[in-house]
Amino acid sequence: EYALALQKIHVALEIDPANTEALRMQSTIESNGSHRQADGSLLLARQHLDKLAFSHARKVVESILQRQPSDAHSREMMVEIQRREQQYLQARQGKENLYQAAVEAHAKGELTITIAKLDAMLELDKSAPEISFADRTCAYWRFSDQVHSEYDANLAACAEARRCFAGGNLNRAIEIGEAALKKYPAEPWTQSLQSDIEAWKRQDLSWLIADVDRKVEAEPDLDRRIEILNGAAEQYPHEPHFDQALKLM
């Protein structure tokens, strides 16, 4: 229909090149055709923009503005492209900052902080995915999975230490707890376990002191008393109670 209308106008202008009505209609039709072409190009630019292909979207809009410098829709689209590209670049920088902070926290054994940084980073990645470096996103997820696994393993170790203590296996509880503390000293779970371990040690020592005192009091032989106290002092060299008891013998 558009081509047919232009053909009729061209015929009329061949007959009368000064035909004002034909010239007016030709201008109107060509203008409408330009607008339709611009609309199609803007749709293409929008598709590029939705895929975060900012340079392609910009080139399409620039080609429209070269033909129609005053086209309002194209100018608005160019502003939107610039705005969204800036947001994307800021989000990418934010992701990198969070990733580096997560790596540093992980190196210090701060699993809870590391996970918080990684979760925030992966949330940003939803709005600003890596377009040209898909492997980078895979690396983010692998690191996140690794840290979550370490976190779960640390929780399990702390729980196992408490089960060992409850079952009367204090030495094993201390062994597990101290290993977790050495690996993740800044973690709230291991810090809490450290406090428990110190309490368990004090409780165990209190039981031992009471047991040794009972044995010494029940033992009539002085040499045997001294032997009992010496054995306890060797087992707990930093406990002054046994040294004081020996001095009283």
Side-chain angles (χ1 to χ4, degrees):
E1 183 181 348
Y2 169 75
L4 181 60
L6 276 180
Q7 184 179 3
K8 290 181 178 179
I9 291 171
H10 288 161
V11 171
L13 290 174
E14 286 177 359
I15 298 172
D16 180 9
N19 187 322
T20 56
E21 182 62 20
L23 289 171
R24 184 188 65 77
M25 291 178 64
Q26 181 185 42
S27 177
T28 300
I29 291 174
E30 289 178 346
S31 177
N32 290 338
S34 296
H35 284 301
R36 280 196 294 271
Q37 183 180 3
D39 290 342
S41 296
L42 285 176
L43 179 60
L44 177 61
R46 172 66 63 185
Q47 292 171 349
H48 285 315
L49 183 58
D50 290 341
K51 295 177 182 177
L52 304 178
F54 302 106
S55 60
H56 292 308
R58 188 179 296 105
K59 287 178 181 178
V60 172
V61 177
E62 286 173 350
S63 68
I64 300 173
L65 291 173
Q66 286 177 355
R67 300 189 305 269
Q68 298 172 253
S70 61
D71 185 77
H73 295 299
S74 299
R75 289 182 175 277
E76 290 173 1
M77 175 64 78
M78 185 64 78
V79 170
E80 183 178 355
I81 291 170
Q82 293 171 345
R83 176 181 60 80
R84 289 184 57 180
E85 184 176 27
Q86 185 63 31
Q87 290 176 341
Y88 175 79
L89 293 175
Q90 289 175 350
R92 281 195 65 194
Q93 186 59 52
K95 281 196 306 181
E96 187 60 26
N97 292 342
L98 286 166
Y99 179 75
Q100 293 303 325
V103 170
E104 292 174 7
H106 183 254
K108 298 175 184 177
E110 299 172 341
L111 295 180
T112 302
I113 295 176
T114 302
I115 288 174
K117 299 293 184 184
L118 289 174
D119 286 350
M121 180 199 69
L122 293 174
E123 187 63 29
L124 267 181
D125 191 61
K126 294 178 182 179
S127 59
E130 296 295 328
I131 303 169
S132 304
F133 305 98
D135 289 346
R136 189 65 169 164
T137 297
C138 292
Y140 290 157
W141 281 103
R142 282 196 299 271
F143 185 38
S144 177
D145 290 343
Q146 173 194 334
V147 175
H148 276 87
S149 295
E150 291 179 18
Y151 181 84
D152 292 341
N154 186 50
L155 288 184
C158 292
E160 178 63 18
R162 289 188 168 86
R163 279 194 295 270
C164 287
F165 174 73
N169 193 348
L170 177 61
N171 290 335
R172 179 57 179 160
I174 291 174
E175 179 185 353
I176 295 173
E178 289 182 344
L181 185 64
K182 183 178 180 180
K183 197 170 185 179
Y184 306 113
E187 269 303 283
W189 285 96
T190 46
Q191 288 179 348
S192 174
L193 182 59
Q194 181 186 26
S195 298
D196 290 343
I197 288 174
E198 294 302 322
W200 297 342
K201 288 180 177 179
R202 289 193 299 271
Q203 184 179 5
D204 184 62
L205 182 58
S206 296
W207 289 340
L208 177 66
I209 290 173
D211 184 56
V212 169
D213 287 347
R214 282 194 299 270
K215 288 179 179 179
V216 169
E217 290 175 4
E219 178 57 56
D221 184 76
L222 177 60
D223 291 339
R224 178 59 183 150
R225 287 185 178 186
I226 293 174
E227 182 181 348
I228 293 172
L229 288 171
N230 279 331
E234 289 177 4
Q235 185 176 357
Y236 291 92
H238 301 295
E239 174 51 49
H241 176 83
F242 304 120
D243 289 334
Q244 292 172 1
L246 281 167
K247 291 177 182 178
L248 296 176
M249 288 292 105

